[in-house]
């Protein structure tokens, strides 16, 4: 927050919804670490120069045990585990300041590519068409100054 306030003309990208860790000293504390991350989003969202990459959720550093399973998770299972957090960060920052991201190949540790994007589409289903367009492409175009439609 201090950095974002110190450089208001610089776009800052908060990667992987802020990275609520679930390993090491944070193992088994998923509820606590995610609650802490959520508690920080309003102050950071008050800084208009911050945008959020909503993803990275297949990485094992978050403490999910999907790689240990015999069968990979479905998109519905991913939404059940991550949906509330993803919607919370989108609601805190607004769809115009959030962008879905795959983080592949690292996300492959726990989630298949198609499953991940299907989960994102399910999370985005409750938003308007314009908001979904921002989440899926528009915010990234603006934040990274990309051309095209």
């Amino acid at each position: 927050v201090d950095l974002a306030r110190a450089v208001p003309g610089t776009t800052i990208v908060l990667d992987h919804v802020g990275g609520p860790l679930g390993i090491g000293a944070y193992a088994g504390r998923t509820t606590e670490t995610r609650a802490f991350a959520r508690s920080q989003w309003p102050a950071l969202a008050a800084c208009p120069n911050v945008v959020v990459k909503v993803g990275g959720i297949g990485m094992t550093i978050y403490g999910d045990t999907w790689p240990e399973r015999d069968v990979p998770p479905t998109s519905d299972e991913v939404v059940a585990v991550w949906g509330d957090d993803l919607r919370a960060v989108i609601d805190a920052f607004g769809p115009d300041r959030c962008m879905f991201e795959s983080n592949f190949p690292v996300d492959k540790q726990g989630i298949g590519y198609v499953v991940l994007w299907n989960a994102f589409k399910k999370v985005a289903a409750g938003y308007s068409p314009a908001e979904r367009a921002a989440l899926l492409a528009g915010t990234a175009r603006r934040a990274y100054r990309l051309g095209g439609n």
Side-chain angles (χ1 to χ4, degrees), residues 33 43 61 64-65 70 77 82 86 109 112 124-126 140:
T33 58
I61 63 169
D64 295 319
T65 59
D70 291 334
E77 289 174 307
W82 279 98
L86 301 185
Q109 295 171 340

XYZ file of all heavy atoms in Angstrom, residues 33 43 61 64-65 70 77 82 86 109 112 124-126 140:
106
model
N -4.683 -17.560 6.262
C -3.914 -16.777 5.297
C -4.809 -16.129 4.259
O -4.560 -14.992 3.854
C -2.833 -17.629 4.611
O -3.428 -18.737 3.949
C -1.795 -18.111 5.605
N -7.608 -1.688 1.417
C -6.630 -0.595 1.443
C -5.856 -0.543 0.131
O -5.607 0.542 -0.407
C -5.668 -0.766 2.615
N 2.181 -24.014 -3.654
C 2.519 -23.134 -2.522
C 1.291 -22.653 -1.760
O 1.412 -22.153 -0.653
C 3.374 -21.921 -2.954
C 2.618 -21.027 -3.908
C 4.705 -22.372 -3.513
C 3.295 -19.688 -4.159
N -2.963 -26.434 -1.529
C -3.969 -27.347 -2.070
C -3.313 -28.705 -2.320
O -2.143 -28.794 -2.693
C -4.560 -26.795 -3.369
C -5.341 -25.508 -3.141
O -6.067 -25.425 -2.132
O -5.200 -24.582 -3.959
N -4.051 -29.756 -2.136
C -3.505 -31.111 -2.251
C -3.871 -31.791 -3.563
O -3.760 -33.004 -3.673
C -3.990 -31.977 -1.075
O -5.434 -32.011 -1.092
C -3.498 -31.439 0.259
N -5.419 -38.979 -7.013
C -5.343 -39.875 -8.170
C -5.996 -39.259 -9.397
O -5.614 -39.552 -10.519
C -6.026 -41.209 -7.858
C -5.257 -42.025 -6.831
O -4.022 -41.843 -6.729
O -5.893 -42.834 -6.135
N -14.808 -28.279 -8.704
C -14.030 -28.409 -7.463
C -13.120 -27.200 -7.267
O -12.971 -26.706 -6.147
C -13.211 -29.694 -7.487
C -14.049 -30.953 -7.357
C -13.236 -32.215 -7.517
O -12.521 -32.345 -8.535
O -13.315 -33.074 -6.615
N -11.763 -22.117 -4.539
C -11.229 -20.781 -4.784
C -12.265 -19.718 -5.142
O -11.957 -18.524 -5.124
C -10.186 -20.842 -5.902
C -8.857 -21.288 -5.424
C -8.323 -22.545 -5.488
C -7.877 -20.476 -4.784
N -7.076 -22.561 -4.936
C -6.773 -21.297 -4.497
C -7.815 -19.132 -4.429
C -5.628 -20.820 -3.870
C -6.668 -18.659 -3.815
C -5.602 -19.502 -3.533
N -11.724 -15.579 -5.207
C -11.585 -14.894 -6.496
C -12.658 -13.827 -6.662
O -12.360 -12.704 -7.092
C -11.633 -15.900 -7.644
C -10.567 -17.000 -7.622
C -10.665 -17.853 -8.882
C -9.174 -16.437 -7.438
N 0.960 -27.872 -11.799
C 1.212 -28.679 -10.597
C -0.086 -29.244 -10.029
O -0.089 -30.324 -9.463
C 1.884 -27.835 -9.506
C 3.253 -27.345 -9.846
C 3.756 -26.343 -8.805
O 2.984 -25.741 -8.056
N 5.062 -26.149 -8.760
N -5.378 -28.607 -14.504
C -5.230 -28.613 -15.952
C -5.610 -27.262 -16.539
O -6.418 -26.526 -15.971
N -16.724 -15.986 -13.325
C -17.128 -14.751 -14.002
C -18.585 -14.733 -14.417
O -19.105 -13.677 -14.775
C -16.245 -14.531 -15.231
N -19.260 -15.863 -14.354
C -20.641 -15.957 -14.851
C -21.586 -14.961 -14.186
O -22.544 -14.513 -14.810
C -21.160 -17.383 -14.679
N -21.320 -14.590 -12.956
C -22.203 -13.665 -12.247
C -21.979 -12.201 -12.572
O -22.699 -11.340 -12.066
N -6.129 -6.664 -18.914
C -4.760 -6.998 -19.333
C -4.308 -6.082 -20.459
O -3.167 -5.592 -20.442
C -4.679 -8.456 -19.773
